[in-house]
């Protein structure tokens, strides 16, 4: 297609979309997703406008990429093209909130941090601490299924999402669940949409049950010389009557990134702050507890001499913010870093960390890992050590080696890496046993595959 015909096609696309959402809400954008620049960006303000846009795109086989706060858009495969970037920024606000019933309905484009501030006025919250919540939208958090340290006690958004509204690829506005907690009618579409990365539908609203916010919390950090000791201590906590809100394991090198982002390093000059010595340094098990003075005193008593640091208040909030932001602190400092998410059983946490510690240096990477010690959700960071920019095959070989060393039943997806490396391996890993069902659902809901084509597993 020549530049003049491409310009004409883009102009026709903009004109058709402007008739739906208004000319002022249609524009060209410099933003890219894995290096692919959308032809046009639009910002509808109602679910009906979203439906009209998707019907327009579906009838013309145009590829649509839903977007919220742009905090996780580079996760997934490289899209073959993006014709329409559907921005949910105008789908904002709280639709309903009843503090007495502990329920809230939120439009998909509202920033999650703004939701927490509103709930905080009534001493309530959604126990959710994924990274970048000041920018992340509610719809994006649901669509990506992201989570933070609070997953230990509260699991994820999918577990307290009680209703959802979404728009399918053919433009139909649909919903699942409702506005009350005890709602068991119909299919559980909330969990279907959670973690679908915008490949099934565009989420326009979500309803949640909310929780009373703890009036006081305290964090206890326990240090150990070896991974085995840290894992044994974690198992002791799990077998005890203690019920912490968060339970993290932090590798010695991961601790280097638990601070405000430092100046990005030139990859040609990168060297770790300490010599590379596998297993050196302190492994930390960090837990956060909530309750009365008596409850917190019991935690201190039960944990005993293992506690090397104890903090609360502003210092505690800052620490857990750094834990949530770990992967982004790594990526800020090392532009060629790779981050993987693991999905493990509890007993496989130690073998998975050992696999990472083995695979990384063998392929010229420095490993750093932290994550949920009792749910198997680890964030594994690989920082390349090389004078020249690392090759795509360096990433592919390391990913293959790490996955090959994981215990049976475990999986690891590549969340972030240089886009040039992605064509050389499957970022999502080997197909799961339910891949046939996933494809059937995708075919039923989006038969033309216009939503986030090429990004997700199906």
């Amino acid at each position: 297609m020549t530049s003049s015909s491409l310009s004409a096609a883009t102009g026709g696309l903009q004109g058709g979309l402007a008739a739906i959402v208004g000319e002022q809400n249609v524009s060209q954008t410099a933003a890219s997703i894995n290096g692919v620049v959308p032809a046009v960006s639009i910002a509808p303000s109602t679910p009906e406008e979203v439906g009209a846009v998707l019907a327009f795109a579906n009838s013309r086989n145009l590829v649509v990429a839903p977007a919220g706060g742009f905090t996780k858009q580079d996760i997934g495969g490289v899209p073959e093209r993006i014709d329409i970037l559907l921005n949910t920024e105008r789908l904002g606000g709280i639709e309903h909130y009843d503090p007495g019933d502990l329920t809230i309905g939120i439009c998909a484009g509202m920033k999650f941090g703004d939701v927490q501030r509103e709930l905080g006025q009534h001493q309530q919250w959604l126990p959710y601490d994924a990274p970048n919540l000041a920018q992340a939208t509610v719809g994006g958090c649901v669509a990506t299924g992201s989570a933070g340290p609070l997953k230990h006690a509260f699991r994820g958004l999918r577990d307290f999402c009680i209703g959802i509204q979404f728009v399918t690829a053919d433009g139909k506005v649909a919903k699942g669940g409702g506005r009350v907690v005890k709602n068991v009618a119909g299919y559980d579409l909330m969990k279907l949409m959670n973690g679908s990365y915008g490949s099934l539908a565009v989420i326009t609203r979500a309803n949640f049950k909310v929780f009373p916010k703890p009036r006081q919390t305290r964090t206890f950090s326990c240090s150990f010389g070896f991974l085995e000791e840290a894992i044994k201590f974690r198992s002791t906590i799990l077998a005890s009557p203690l019920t912490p809100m968060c339970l993290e394991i932090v590798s010695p090198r991961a601790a280097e990134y638990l601070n405000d982002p430092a100046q990005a390093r030139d990859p040609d000059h990168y060297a770790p702050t300490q010599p590379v010595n596998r297993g050196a340094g302190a492994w930390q098990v960090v837990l956060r507890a909530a309750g009365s003075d008596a409850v917190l005193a019991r935690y201190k008593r039960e944990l005993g001499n293992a506690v090397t640091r104890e903090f609360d208040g502003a210092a505690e909030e800052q620490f857990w913010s750094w834990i949530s932001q770990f992967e982004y602190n790594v990526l800020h400092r090392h532009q060629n870093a790779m981050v993987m998410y693991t999905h493990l059983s509890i007993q496989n946490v130690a073998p998975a960390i050992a696999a990472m510690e083995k695979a990384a240096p063998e392929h010229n990477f420095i490993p750093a890992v932290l994550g949920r010690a009792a749910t198997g959700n680890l964030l594994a960071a690989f920082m390349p050590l090389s004078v020249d920019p690392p090759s795509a095959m360096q990433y592919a070989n390391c990913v293959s080696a790490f996955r090959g060393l994981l215990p049976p039943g475990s999986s690891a997806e590549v969340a972030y890496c240089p886009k040039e490396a992605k064509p050389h391996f499957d970022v999502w890993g080997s197909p799961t046993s339910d891949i046939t069902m996933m494809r059937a659902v995708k075919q039923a809901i989006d038969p033309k595959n216009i939503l986030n084509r090429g990004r997700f597993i199906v």
Side-chain angles (χ1 to χ4, degrees):
M1 184 179 290
T2 65
S3 59
S4 59
S5 60
L6 178 61
S7 177
T10 303
L13 175 60
Q14 288 181 325
L17 294 171
I20 299 172
V21 301
E23 185 176 353
Q24 70 276 16
N25 298 310
V26 181
S27 63
Q28 289 185 281
T29 178
S32 67
I33 299 175
N34 277 308
V36 179
V37 179
V40 65
S41 174
I42 65 164
S45 62
T46 66
E48 290 69 30
E49 286 186 356
V50 174
V53 169
L54 292 183
F56 175 89
N58 196 55
S59 66
R60 294 162 175 78
N61 196 30
L62 301 174
V63 177
V64 179
F70 267 85
T71 60
K72 289 187 175 289
Q73 281 291 355
D74 284 333
I75 293 180
V78 178
E80 60 181 61
R81 74 174 197 272
I82 302 173
D83 299 309
I84 301 172
L85 181 73
L86 195 159
N87 197 313
T88 61
E89 61 184 359
R90 297 178 65 221
L91 294 169
I94 294 176
E95 186 174 88
H96 68 84
Y97 174 36
D98 188 338
D101 284 345
L102 297 175
T103 59
I104 189 170
I106 315 163
C107 295
M110 188 171 183
K111 305 297 185 186
F112 210 98
D114 294 337
V115 176
Q116 295 286 46
R117 278 189 289 275
E118 179 67 26
L119 293 173
Q121 296 180 20
H122 300 274
Q123 198 57 34
Q124 295 176 348
W125 69 332
L126 288 170
Y128 179 75
D129 57 352
N132 293 329
L133 291 187
Q135 293 80 38
T137 61
V138 170
C141 291
V142 175
T144 59
S146 57
L150 285 168
K151 182 172 184 176
H152 171 77
F154 297 97
R155 304 175 74 179
L157 278 182
R158 57 176 282 167
D159 296 289
F160 37 93
C161 181
I162 57 176
I164 196 165
Q165 182 189 69
F166 56 91
V167 183
T168 57
D170 58 0
K172 296 178 181 177
V173 180
K175 66 178 181 178
R179 291 174 53 169
V180 296
V181 174
K182 293 183 178 180
N183 190 323
V184 295
Y187 295 106
D188 193 348
L189 296 175
M190 292 78 74
K191 289 184 173 61
L192 181 65
M193 293 299 157
N194 188 92
S196 63
Y197 281 88
S199 64
L200 296 178
V202 177
I203 297 169
T204 53
R205 188 184 69 234
N207 302 333
F208 301 94
K209 60 179 178 181
V210 302
F211 297 77
K213 191 173 184 179
R215 295 192 175 275
Q216 67 173 344
T217 61
R218 189 168 300 156
T219 292
F220 303 88
S221 179
C222 309
S223 298
F224 303 90
F226 300 94
L227 171 62
E228 295 77 12
E229 295 174 347
I231 293 296
K232 182 178 179 180
F233 186 74
R234 175 215 63 176
S235 300
T236 299
I237 294 173
L238 294 179
S240 76
L242 302 179
T243 55
M245 296 166 58
C246 309
L247 183 60
E248 295 285 296
I249 188 164
V250 182
S251 76
R253 295 188 198 96
E256 181 182 340
Y257 302 92
L258 299 184
N259 46 45
D260 289 328
Q263 182 69 29
R265 287 172 169 166
D266 185 333
D268 290 345
H269 299 151
Y270 172 57
T273 57
Q274 299 293 331
V276 180
N277 181 8
R278 189 179 302 175
W283 288 85
Q284 298 178 57
V285 174
V286 189
L287 61 97
R288 189 179 193 183
S292 64
D293 290 340
V295 169
L296 298 179
R298 180 181 181 183
Y299 271 87
K300 184 174 183 177
R301 186 171 61 253
E302 293 275 351
L303 297 173
N305 295 332
V307 177
T308 54
R309 186 183 176 196
E310 182 181 339
F311 46 103
D312 54 18
E316 181 185 37
E317 292 297 327
Q318 180 65 82
F319 175 83
W320 288 104
S321 173
W322 288 334
I323 290 281
S324 294
Q325 292 293 129
F326 167 73
E327 61 196 279
Y328 294 99
N329 285 353
V330 169
L331 295 167
H332 179 83
R333 290 171 61 177
H334 313 292
Q335 65 180 27
N336 289 326
M338 175 170 66
V339 176
M340 299 183 71
Y341 298 161
T342 71
H343 307 279
L344 316 161
S345 60
I346 296 177
Q347 65 267 28
N348 287 334
V349 170
I353 294 176
M356 180 194 183
E357 295 275 311
K358 182 178 189 302
E362 288 181 353
H363 295 86
N364 213 17
F365 286 92
I366 292 177
V369 61
L370 62 69
R372 278 75 284 173
T375 69
N377 301 109
L378 303 177
L379 287 78
F382 299 78
M383 285 71 71
L385 271 178
S386 55
V387 175
D388 297 320
S391 69
M393 291 311 299
Q394 182 178 342
Y395 293 91
N397 292 336
C398 184
V399 169
S400 178
F402 177 49
R403 286 173 172 165
L405 291 170
L406 289 175
S410 306
S411 64
E413 67 198 57
V414 178
Y416 299 99
C417 72
K419 63 180 182 295
E420 294 81 7
K422 289 190 175 185
H424 297 274
F425 57 86
D426 189 337
V427 297
W428 298 105
S430 302
T432 60
S433 59
D434 54 1
I435 187 68
T436 301
M437 182 180 297
M438 294 175 68
R439 287 173 177 157
V441 171
K442 173 69 171 177
Q443 178 63 27
I445 298 180
D446 180 17
K448 292 186 177 180
N449 193 21
I450 69 164
L451 289 170
N452 264 341
R453 185 183 298 172
R455 182 181 184 189
F456 196 43
I457 300 172
V458 294

